[in-house]
Every structure is written in structure tokens, then in C-alpha cells.
């Protein structure tokens, strides 16, 4: 019984330990043109890891973001579709990954 309690306590402690949050730390930035055709810079700050994130500023209309910069501590994989399922994707390494103005994206996942 003591062994069971010790193992259970250790497991609960592991789940509640600091730093266990599933999020990339840092900023992921990108550019896009707004409805008026003006160049804007968007950012995802400390985005969640392991889930598809649609670029919010362009989600409701037919345009793409471009020129991503990954300054998070996680790898970012950018996709040309809204659901991170397209066969067209590109991986940006943590901290220094970047894409040119020709790299188009509509969604991203961090790992």
C-alpha cells in the first residue's frame, strides 16, 4: 500500500510540476495584407504546442500570411491550408527559423 501511495504521489507531483505547460515560449510573427491592402505584422505569443492554429487575422477571408519568423523555443510547421493538413508545409527551427515573402501560410503547429 505504501508503494502504491508513493507512486501515486510521484505521478501527481510530475503532473503539477512547473514547466509542464504545453506551450511554446516566445513569439511567432508573420506578415499579411489587411482588407485595405496595407501591410501588417501579426504575432502569436507563447502559442500552445501540438494543436493547429489558424492565423487569426486572415481566417475569415481568402488571403495568405507570409514571411514567418519563429522566435519560439519550439519547431513551427507552417501549412498552406486552414487545418494543418495540406501536403504543402514547411518547418521552421526554434529561435531562428524564418521564411521569405514567398513562403505562404494559413495555419501553424508547434512541436
Amino acid at each position: 500500500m505504501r508503494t502504491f501511495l508513493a507512486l501515486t504521489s510521484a505521478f501527481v507531483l510530475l503532473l503539477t510540476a512547473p514547466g509542464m505547460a504545453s506551450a511554446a515560449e516566445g513569439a511567432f510573427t508573420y506578415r499579411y495584407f489587411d482588407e485595405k491592402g496595407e501591410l501588417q505584422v501579426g504575432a502569436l505569443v507563447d502559442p500552445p504546442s501540438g494543436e493547429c492554429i489558424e492565423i487569426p487575422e486572415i481566417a475569415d477571408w481568402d488571403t495568405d500570411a507570409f514571411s514567418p519568423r519563429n522566435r519560439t523555443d519550439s519547431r513551427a510547421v507552417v501549412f498552406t491550408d486552414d487545418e494543418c493538413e495540406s501536403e504543402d508545409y514547411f518547418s521552421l527551427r526554434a529561435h531562428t527559423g524564418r521564411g521569405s515573402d514567398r513562403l505562404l501560410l494559413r495555419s501553424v503547429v508547434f512541436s
Side-chain angles (χ1 to χ4, degrees), residues 84-105:
C84 302
E85 295 178 351
S86 69
E87 292 182 13
D88 296 324
Y89 62 88
F90 191 81
S91 180
L92 301 169
R93 66 181 170 268
H95 302 291
T96 59
R98 61 188 302 175
S100 74
D101 289 350
R102 293 181 294 157
L103 180 58
L104 305 178
L105 67 141

Side-chain angles (χ1 to χ4, degrees), residues 10-68:
F11 181 72
V12 170
L13 181 61
L14 179 67
L15 289 178
T16 60
M20 293 299 291
S22 181
E25 292 184 12
F28 176 83
T29 61
Y30 45 88
R31 296 175 182 206
Y32 65 97
F33 289 102
D34 65 14
E35 289 103 355
K36 296 177 183 178
E38 295 180 14
L39 182 63
Q40 303 291 329
V41 177
L44 301 172
V45 179
D46 298 336
S49 294
E51 60 184 71
C52 183
I53 302 169
E54 185 176 8
I55 303 302
E57 294 89 349
I58 61 168
D60 294 333
W61 48 297
D62 189 29
T63 191
D64 297 308
F66 56 93
S67 193

Side-chain angles (χ1 to χ4, degrees), residues 1-16:
M1 182 69 168
R2 286 185 183 169
T3 303
F4 176 76
L5 289 175
L7 288 173
T8 303
S9 297
F11 181 72
V12 170
L13 181 61
L14 179 67
L15 289 178
T16 60

